[in-house]
Amino acid sequence: MKILTTVRRVPDLDARFSLNGDKTEIDTEALDHKVNYFDEVAVEEAIRLKEKGVADEIVSVCIGSGNATKELRTALAMGADRAILVEADEKTLDPYLVAAILAKLVEKEQPDLIIMGKLGVDFENTQVPQLLAGMLGWPQATFAYSTEICDSKVTVGREVDGGTSTFRLPLPAIVTADLRLNEPRFPSLPGIMKAKRKPLDTMTIEDLGVALEPRVKTVRFEMPPEREAGVIVADVAELIQKLRDEVKAI
Amino acid sequence: MSHYHLDRRDVEFVLFEQLQLEKLLNLPKYSEYSKEIFDMVLGEAQKIAMDVLAPMNEPADKEGCRLEDGQVKIPKIFHDAYEKYKAGGWVAPHAKVEWGGQGMPVSLYLAATEFFVGACTSFLFYPGLTASAAHVVELFGSDLVKKNYVEKMYSGDWTGTMCLTEAGAGSAVGDLLTSATPNDDGTYNVVGTKIFISAGDHDMAENIGHLVLARVKGDPAGIKGISLFLVPKIWVKDDGSLGEANDVTIPSIEHKMGINACSTCVINFGDEGKCRGYLIGKRMKGIVAMFHMMNEARIVTGAQGMALGNAAYQSALLYAKERVQGTDISNMKDADAPRVTIDKHPDVKRMLATMKAYSEGLRALILKSAYLLDMSESIDDPVEAARLRGVLELLTPICKAYCTDKGFKVTELAIQTYGGYGYIREYPVEQYMRDVKIASLYEGTNGIQAMDLLGRKLPMKNGMVFMNFLGVIGDFIDANKAHPVLGGAVLLLEKAKNKLGEVSYGFAMSGQSDPDYPMLHAVNFLEMMGNVVVGHLLIEGGIIAAGKLPDAKEGSSDAVYYSNKVKTAQFFATNILPGNDALAAAIVSKDRSALEIEF
Ligand SMILES: Cc1cc2nc3c(=O)[nH]c(=O)nc-3n(C[C@H](O)[C@H](O)[C@H](O)COP(=O)(O)OP(=O)(O)OC[C@H]3O[C@@H](n4cnc5c(N)ncnc54)[C@H](O)[C@@H]3O)c2cc1C
């Protein structure tokens, strides 16, 4: 069985962000980047399935700038078998385009299962897996906290509002990883050394025959307003009054 | 929030912009490496430090170690972390691939070690001593011993210790009483009591290999008669499987000022006459083998001072940017003036700048020394390799003593920056200070290091190693005197260097007739040399930064970093280097009052 995992390069969220001059972009140049945490969980899950003998090949894919080879090497160091970088300027992408690119790759790679992070921690769009499932016509199970594969079906425990639910999907299918699915391993030093020799192919969006036509246009970013100093209230009654009359929260 | 904050930017500056570590990639020994791997290694080290080690620092310090039924128990949280650390291959990444290591440059390993030590000092003793001990076994052990121990130790499955100290033999290792008698099967019976043994016992691995200095019965007294033995906690059969307990017992452990989660043990070898060990290296050459390890261990000890100094500085810096107290000096009389954070006060700025200069200078010194070690062990040219080894030997006591004394000083300044809060357990800096102090004591006290520098290192090759070293700094000075920004700093370096040369010449002239006087000033001399070495590295870094500044985008974090780097070099040159004048004045004074006071 072949598993495709996606690996996105995201800025370190602890970093201090700034905007470019006309506020249409976040200045990410000087920021540290790392693998989107949910994607690490996805890769980890794929590796565990391989360790259980269920899967035999793990391919990790990243769509992003040339610098993202580092994030792909991280996936390889954890235990993925090979990696593909689809080179693209991240700022020109939107979820629909990413899904379209992935759909083309899936045609080429023919995986039996795609495991993706449930969202990207930077913009938290939570759209690509769902769009991809729609384009491919595959079943999907989002927000997984457990997976089990049996008889060409994947059983997925899911976190939903107010509880859990269980889906059983025929393969090929898409699963997105939630926090509780596993605790991703740290790439070991021997793993890092081995990753250097694992194949990492690079291709362009044009190679895949996808037209670069974004559907989302970024108009402007705004920094959240500076927090203003609070006020000290005399008692609960005053707090309630302020919440009701000034903040209009109740 | 984590207690630990690290300065990855400065680590990267020293490694890649100052030392240009990529140069190693041209050497066959490091052909498997790449810049990308260097980056990934640093990234993973940072992750392990922040996610696995840092959260244990405070609770492990509180819990400490216990002795229960003859077995030392260390904090439970260490066990799980140790498994992760081992699985990551971090115990001995610099070991050769054939022994299970990754052949990693020591410079990169020490850069990672800074993060680990800063995150949780006590933890690092267990894997750190293991790697050092295993290295000695690899270099000097018999084939059988190597086969059975080296990989087991480098992987961390078993740990290791260094057992030199006894109650009557601390600095004077040669006075030890532990004895060894040959057995018919080639092993030795070892009997004696060692004290203060770090990581001497614990419940985290199934076996421990103790490297024990002892005297074979009948061999001469003093340091010349000493041999080195590998004494396992559990005997290892020739086929590599574990046998019986080896009569190695722990009667007690110490309760200490710091590194509380690192067990410090009294160890009895052969209470019942049944403790066996293997001779490591040649008989009566124990100290040669041990010294081999000590040279590396001394740089690592210096790294401990550097790492904790840096951790304390980062912590104090963040605190100073948040703590609001008082008003700007220009508004002092105005009761309604806006309150400011303490980093705006000139005296706090002085403390921050001092901490920054030492912290970054010590880092450059440690990584540069490690880089010299890497180069000396991997280049083809034997003459150049010997030269680099000479420089490294000269710098070793400085790495050890200067980095641990100044590292301690930085932790003390960090507490001062915090004010009363620094003294309170809720904040991390008091632990850094407690944890760093030990580094100026073990691995040869800093006083002993200074005597080593003056008595042994300065006279190497009739003083040529030292003179050549000053020559290299002299060349740097000549080349950069006219630097548009840091030319003045370079001239201050020249003055400090010349003072150092003068007093060393004075020692050489007077040493034979009056050995007491130079030794009275050995520590002052080491400080002078440390100032010059670190001043040189900071100014070199400052000049590199000045060169990059014009290309850095205005207002970018790089621009701020480079500009601060230039000013840090300037600060050290103006505020620390002139200290050499005062030290030199004391040294050349010939004043003997300390020798004459009746204590
Ligand atoms: C927490 C801890 C961990 C340790 N870990 C280990 C370990 O793992 N393995 C191990 O073998 N040892 C270990 N030690 C022991 C340590 O190395 C010794 O404490 C150290 O070498 C100093 O010896 P001492 O304590 O007997 O002091 P002393 O030798 O009594 O020294 C006392 C003072 O006298 C000075 N002095 C002594 N002799 C001279 C001289 N000839 N000239 C000038 N000054 C001199 C010293 O510099 C020092 O200031 C550890 C100690 C501690 C506290």
Side-chain angles (χ1 to χ4, degrees), chain A residues 69 73 187-190 196-197, chain B residues 31-32 36 44 87-89 102:
Chain A
T69 53
R73 291 273 177 221
S188 69
L189 294 172
K196 191 186 163 197
R197 272 177 251 118
Chain B
S31 58
E32 288 294 300
E36 192 175 65
E44 287 312 312
Q102 304 301 327

Side-chain angles (χ1 to χ4, degrees), chain B residues 506-518:
Chain B
F507 281 147
M509 294 293 98
S510 72
Q512 264 87 11
S513 54
D514 179 11
D516 277 356
Y517 191 76

Side-chain angles (χ1 to χ4, degrees), chain B residues 188-474:
Chain B
Y188 285 74
N189 235 45
V190 178
V191 178
T193 297
K194 296 285 177 182
I195 64 163
F196 290 167
I197 304 309
S198 300
D201 195 42
H202 56 80
D203 49 351
M204 200 160 64
E206 59 179 351
N207 203 4
I208 303 175
H210 300 287
L211 283 176
V212 181
L213 281 183
R215 194 184 320 276
V216 178
K217 286 226 169 98
D219 282 350
I223 206 105
K224 292 206 168 68
I226 291 178
S227 307
L228 182 65
F229 299 88
L230 174 64
V231 183
K233 176 178 174 180
I234 313 281
W235 189 253
V236 179
K237 297 187 212 154
D238 287 357
D239 66 1
S241 63
L242 290 183
E244 295 180 352
N246 189 34
D247 193 10
V248 176
T249 50
I250 312 291
S252 63
I253 59 174
E254 307 297 341
H255 300 279
K256 313 185 290 283
M257 171 183 180
I259 56 164
N260 284 319
C262 166
S263 62
T264 304
C265 306
V266 177
I267 307 187
N268 287 338
F269 295 99
D271 252 2
E272 299 181 7
K274 289 191 211 143
C275 173
R276 284 187 292 164
Y278 299 99
L279 181 66
I280 299 292
K282 296 209 172 70
R283 189 161 149 187
M284 296 198 283
K285 293 282 184 231
I287 218 68
V288 176
M290 212 48 151
F291 259 121
H292 207 281
M293 152 151 136
M294 296 268 254
N295 277 338
E296 226 174 281
R298 283 177 176 170
I299 299 175
V300 176
T301 305
Q304 186 190 340
M306 176 273 276
L308 284 168
N310 270 283
Y313 164 54
Q314 290 301 328
S315 193
L317 176 62
L318 282 178
Y319 183 82
K321 286 177 167 177
E322 280 172 8
R323 168 73 176 165
V324 175
Q325 199 66 196
T327 58
D328 197 286
I329 185 92
S330 53
N331 296 332
M332 236 172 38
K333 298 224 171 82
D334 174 6
D336 296 326
R339 273 30 184 177
V340 297
T341 50
I342 57 171
D343 64 330
K344 302 289 182 298
H345 300 310
D347 184 56
V348 174
K349 284 184 189 293
R350 168 192 63 81
M351 293 192 278
L352 293 173
T354 309
M355 287 190 277
K356 179 172 171 17
Y358 277 126
S359 296
E360 294 177 4
L362 302 183
R363 176 182 290 120
L365 171 55
I366 292 293
L367 295 180
K368 168 90 185 249
S369 304
Y371 180 72
L372 290 174
L373 181 69
D374 288 330
M375 281 303 230
S376 71
E377 287 185 348
S378 51
I379 55 174
D380 277 340
D381 180 350
V383 179
E384 177 63 3
R387 188 188 73 82
L388 295 176
R389 268 199 304 279
V391 176
L392 186 62
E393 277 183 50
L394 182 68
L395 289 181
T396 300
I398 303 192
C399 281
K400 159 56 168 90
Y402 192 84
C403 291
T404 58
D405 276 347
K406 299 308 176 196
F408 177 77
K409 187 185 163 106
V410 172
T411 62
E412 187 261 329
L413 272 172
I415 293 179
Q416 198 66 24
T417 305
Y418 265 82
Y421 295 89
Y423 198 71
I424 305 294
R425 283 245 166 146
E426 202 181 325
Y427 296 90
V429 281
E430 62 83 31
Q431 189 187 341
Y432 295 147
M433 182 165 163
R434 290 187 289 108
D435 283 353
V436 78
K437 184 57 210 169
I438 184 59
S440 53
L441 301 169
Y442 57 24
E443 285 299 336
T445 64
N446 284 1
I448 298 291
Q449 299 302 319
M451 291 166 63
D452 174 56
L453 175 65
L454 207 52
R456 213 179 337 215
K457 300 298 166 65
L458 231 51
M460 280 193 302
K461 303 218 164 103
N462 283 324
M464 284 315 288
V465 176
F466 177 66
M467 293 313 288
N468 286 340
F469 179 73
L470 288 189
V472 170
I473 296 183

Side-chain angles (χ1 to χ4, degrees), chain A residues 16 27 29-30 40 69-70 73-74 77 183 186-190 192-193 196-197, chain B residues 31-33 36-37 40-41 44 47 52 84 87-90 93 102 104 553 557:
Chain A
R16 213 180 301 171
D27 209 347
E29 215 171 298
E40 264 183 59
T69 53
K70 193 169 126 253
R73 291 273 177 221
T74 303
E183 189 192 333
F186 295 102
S188 69
L189 294 172
I192 291 175
M193 300 305 288
K196 191 186 163 197
R197 272 177 251 118
Chain B
S31 58
E32 288 294 300
Y33 281 83
E36 192 175 65
I37 291 183
M40 281 176 76
V41 167
E44 287 312 312
K47 251 200 251 107
V52 180
K84 287 188 179 140
W90 289 104
Q102 304 301 327
M104 181 187 285
K553 204 169 117 197
S557 57

